Amino acid sequence: GGGEAIAWHSQGVSVATAEPEVTPELGQEADPRESKNAEKRRVEEAYNEERVKIHKHEVRSLDEADVDGWKLDQAQRDLVDELDEDLLELRVLLACCRSEENKERLRQAVQEFEVNLRVKRTWAWFPLTRFQWSGYEYEQPVITLDFKVRGASKLPAEDIHCDFGTDWFDLKVWNVEWPEDPGVKYHHRVRKTRLMRDIVPTESSVRVSGDHVYVELQKVVDPRHGYCAWPDLAAGKGRKPFKYDEEAPDGGLMEFFEGEYEKYEGYDGFRRDIGKAMEKIHRREPIRGIPDTPMEDD
């Protein structure tokens, strides 16, 4: 019986107990437990060996400077230390991994953590306030935002990155030189939240051509209207357009009115009108301008 008990922690691997390996006699089938123990020992040795190598060859300047070489203060270092350690751990695991499928997953995770760490170490962001956009019209599937960035096509691929969410995007462009300030590298960031309508993050993208960075937002198909028009890029603090909910009995109208009712606190007349409409919907009473019988096809 017995075997090994291996304790994993962020700084390495330690073996609590170990029994001497028993070599099976010729002609005997190997004990599955011994095979498992041998694999555990291999993982332990590879892990510790790779961690030592990576620690030795890693440039540990991350704790001292930001992306521009300026020294970080203690509060800034605290923000990057944890992410830096997680990134190191992922690189160790990648070096130990044998499965190509798992290696690919770990490579993607490493890339994501590298970008996040770079963002954490960038303190001087400059906005890109001017852009042109197209595709906001009805039936257009993709909205394209055109940001003019000098020398964008000459920048390394890793200097341009954009993350996408259900109703937001976050564009980062590093090391841009402008003719008005030669020799100085600027880092630009554009983060837009509460987009006017939802997008499909996995089908949205960023591309570069000449002095232009294009952010392409894939619109979500509305079940009733297809690709809707966008009156503006983001709603800001304002109200978003009503979004029909196929699964709700009233299409989500009641929830929409409740949000509007709470929003206009203090406007008694408007709140009273919304309250009456909500009550009629709840009682399934006809509302002026809305037919109370199903529409028939012509």
Side-chain angles (χ1 to χ4, degrees):
E4 292 182 345
I6 295 182
W8 294 81
H9 52 80
S10 61
Q11 299 302 320
V13 178
S14 60
V15 179
T17 59
E19 293 184 356
E21 183 178 355
V22 179
T23 304
E25 296 181 7
L26 189 62
Q28 282 186 333
E29 193 172 327
D31 189 340
R33 291 175 298 179
E34 291 302 324
S35 299
K36 188 175 181 180
N37 289 340
E39 179 64 15
K40 286 182 177 179
R41 282 191 292 272
R42 183 197 71 78
V43 171
E44 173 203 342
E45 292 169 1
Y47 182 93
N48 287 327
E49 180 182 349
E50 292 297 335
R51 189 173 183 88
V52 169
K53 285 197 296 187
I54 291 176
H55 258 298
K56 186 182 296 184
H57 294 95
E58 277 271 304
V59 179
R60 307 303 291 173
S61 60
L62 298 181
D63 294 337
E64 302 297 332
D66 67 4
V67 292
D68 297 310
W70 294 95
K71 186 174 181 180
L72 301 175
D73 59 31
Q74 186 59 48
Q76 293 170 333
R77 285 205 302 269
D78 290 343
L79 290 175
V80 302
D81 278 347
E82 184 176 353
L83 195 57
D84 183 23
E85 183 62 31
D86 290 340
L87 180 58
L88 176 63
E89 194 78 6
L90 282 171
R91 286 174 175 162
V92 173
L93 293 174
L94 178 59
C96 296
C97 188
R98 286 182 171 182
S99 166
E100 285 301 324
E101 186 176 351
N102 289 335
K103 279 185 178 181
E104 183 57 32
R105 292 195 185 99
L106 286 170
R107 288 190 193 101
Q108 293 177 4
V110 167
Q111 291 176 359
E112 180 181 340
F113 270 73
E114 286 175 341
V115 172
N116 290 340
L117 182 59
R118 193 178 189 187
V119 170
K120 293 284 187 184
R121 294 176 56 235
T122 305
W123 306 103
W125 289 109
F126 293 85
L128 292 171
T129 56
R130 296 184 178 181
F131 63 89
Q132 294 180 334
W133 68 316
S134 59
Y136 49 81
E137 305 91 347
Y138 177 63
E139 292 187 341
Q140 294 296 317
V142 177
I143 287 180
T144 301
L145 308 177
D146 177 4
F147 296 93
K148 189 171 182 179
V149 178
R150 180 180 171 86
S153 61
K154 298 178 182 179
L155 293 174
E158 60 270 17
D159 279 354
I160 300 175
H161 184 84
C162 193
D163 294 306
F164 300 93
T166 303
D167 69 341
W168 59 270
F169 72 87
D170 188 1
L171 171 67
K172 280 88 62 178
V173 185
W174 283 274
N175 300 322
V176 179
E177 293 191 39
W178 296 95
E180 299 85 355
D181 204 357
V184 178
K185 294 185 177 181
Y186 287 84
H187 313 305
H188 296 285
R189 187 173 188 177
V190 181
R191 179 174 171 81
K192 292 288 185 180
T193 58
R194 297 196 78 239
L195 296 177
M196 187 59 67
R197 298 184 185 273
D198 289 351
I199 62 174
V200 184
T202 56
E203 297 179 19
S204 300
S205 60
V206 61
R207 61 182 177 88
V208 177
S209 179
D211 290 340
H212 298 266
V213 176
Y214 298 96
V215 175
E216 298 181 338
L217 308 175
Q218 175 63 53
K219 292 180 181 178
V220 169
V221 180
D222 186 276
R224 294 198 166 195
H225 305 292
Y227 296 113
C228 296
W230 287 36
D232 205 344
L233 178 61
K237 296 182 178 179
R239 176 176 60 85
K240 287 189 175 186
F242 171 69
K243 183 170 61 176
Y244 190 85
D245 185 357
E246 288 283 352
E247 297 182 359
D250 60 352
L253 189 60
M254 189 70 171
E255 183 179 353
F256 174 78
F257 273 139
E258 287 175 353
E260 291 297 289
Y261 185 84
E262 295 299 327
K263 175 182 174 183
Y264 287 97
E265 184 177 0
Y267 296 86
D268 294 335
F270 193 68
R271 282 168 62 93
R272 183 170 58 250
D273 292 340
I274 293 177
K276 287 180 179 179
M278 290 168 59
E279 187 176 350
K280 286 186 177 182
I281 291 174
H282 182 70
R283 294 178 179 177
R284 297 189 177 182
E285 295 180 5
I287 302 176
R288 187 176 61 181
I290 301 178
D292 58 350
T293 57
M295 297 182 66
E296 296 179 358
D297 297 331
D298 294 336

